[in-house]
Amino acid sequence: MSLRTIMIFPEFENMDIIDRIRDKYDPLARLVRPHITLVFPFENEMSNEAIKEILIKRLYDVKPFEIVLNGISLQVDKYGNFLLLDVKKGEEDICYIHEVLCKNEFKQFDSDIRYKPHITIGKFQTEKELNNAYNELKNLDESFTTIVNKISVEVIGKNEESIIVIEKML
């Protein structure tokens, strides 16, 4: 059985800026593209086909929507020290998708941490490293805009690499 994750892989015209930051600060940068997690990594017996059917059933009314990301924030929790690129537009749509999945078939995998849509752009061993990176990037005023038109499911490979197994078009 493999770990799987349900996420959005946004594609921005200015993605190179995110990629440069992640290359410097995110240990997963070379393993998984920039993403917004909808259901955090989970392991269960469900087939990919069954998960696809759940996505079709639960997201039937979700249409493509615009997102805008802008601004950097910090998150320190039991999972680590994170630097985040914040969602400024589209947060309600993303939260709706997260809630409809995590209140139903994926409830047992929902985190006890309040859900806040974002792209992780850095993970650090210490809060000091996190604060140093934040101070370097806090004035970044670039906006990242795109239309979300699909939800993806990945399998996390044995070397932490992302293997896309489902793409559900909205």
Side-chain angles (χ1 to χ4, degrees):
M1 219 172 5
S2 300
L3 275 177
R4 291 178 283 193
T5 310
I6 302 175
M7 52 184 57
I8 296 167
F9 288 104
E11 296 180 21
F12 305 107
E13 286 184 18
N14 50 352
M15 187 72 91
D16 59 308
I17 296 168
I18 296 171
D19 290 339
R20 279 197 309 271
I21 294 168
R22 289 185 72 232
D23 283 346
K24 185 172 181 180
Y25 294 121
D26 187 351
L28 297 178
R30 300 230 180 263
L31 301 170
V32 61
R33 292 179 294 157
H35 60 277
I36 299 169
T37 302
L38 297 165
V39 177
F40 290 92
F42 63 93
E43 194 170 50
N44 67 6
E45 298 287 336
M46 231 184 285
S47 69
N48 289 334
E49 193 55 44
I51 292 174
K52 187 172 187 172
E53 290 302 316
I54 290 167
L55 294 178
I56 290 167
K57 175 180 154 187
R58 296 288 177 197
L59 305 180
Y60 73 93
D61 60 342
V62 178
K63 304 292 180 235
F65 59 94
E66 184 179 54
I67 60 171
V68 177
L69 284 82
N70 176 276
I72 308 291
S73 64
L74 311 171
Q75 182 171 317
V76 176
D77 58 39
K78 66 183 180 184
Y79 300 106
N81 305 297
F82 299 95
L83 195 60
L84 312 178
L85 179 58
D86 298 325
V87 174
K88 297 297 186 189
K89 180 178 182 184
E91 184 172 8
E92 287 177 12
D93 296 290
I94 296 167
C95 286
Y96 172 79
I97 296 168
H98 168 79
E99 286 174 24
V100 80
L101 296 173
C102 289
K103 300 285 185 256
N104 293 291
E105 289 85 357
F106 301 99
K107 185 175 186 151
Q108 71 195 64
F109 309 114
D110 196 14
S111 169
D112 57 351
I113 296 170
R114 185 182 73 80
Y115 182 71
K116 176 187 171 200
H118 64 274
I119 291 178
T120 298
I121 55 173
K123 183 175 182 188
F124 304 87
Q125 295 294 318
T126 68
E127 280 190 61
K128 182 177 189 218
E129 292 171 320
L130 171 65
N131 288 324
N132 288 343
Y134 175 74
N135 286 331
E136 183 181 315
L137 295 170
K138 66 183 177 187
N139 295 321
L140 178 72
D141 194 30
E142 190 80 25
S143 286
F144 304 89
T145 304
T146 194
I147 301 296
V148 173
N149 59 13
K150 68 184 166 193
I151 305 300
S152 301
V153 179
E154 74 165 9
V155 168
I156 300 173
K158 63 181 180 206
N159 297 313
E160 298 285 312
E161 73 276 17
S162 172
I163 303 160
I164 306 304
V165 293
I166 299 169
E167 289 190 319
K168 157 72 173 95
M169 299 307 290
L170 298 178

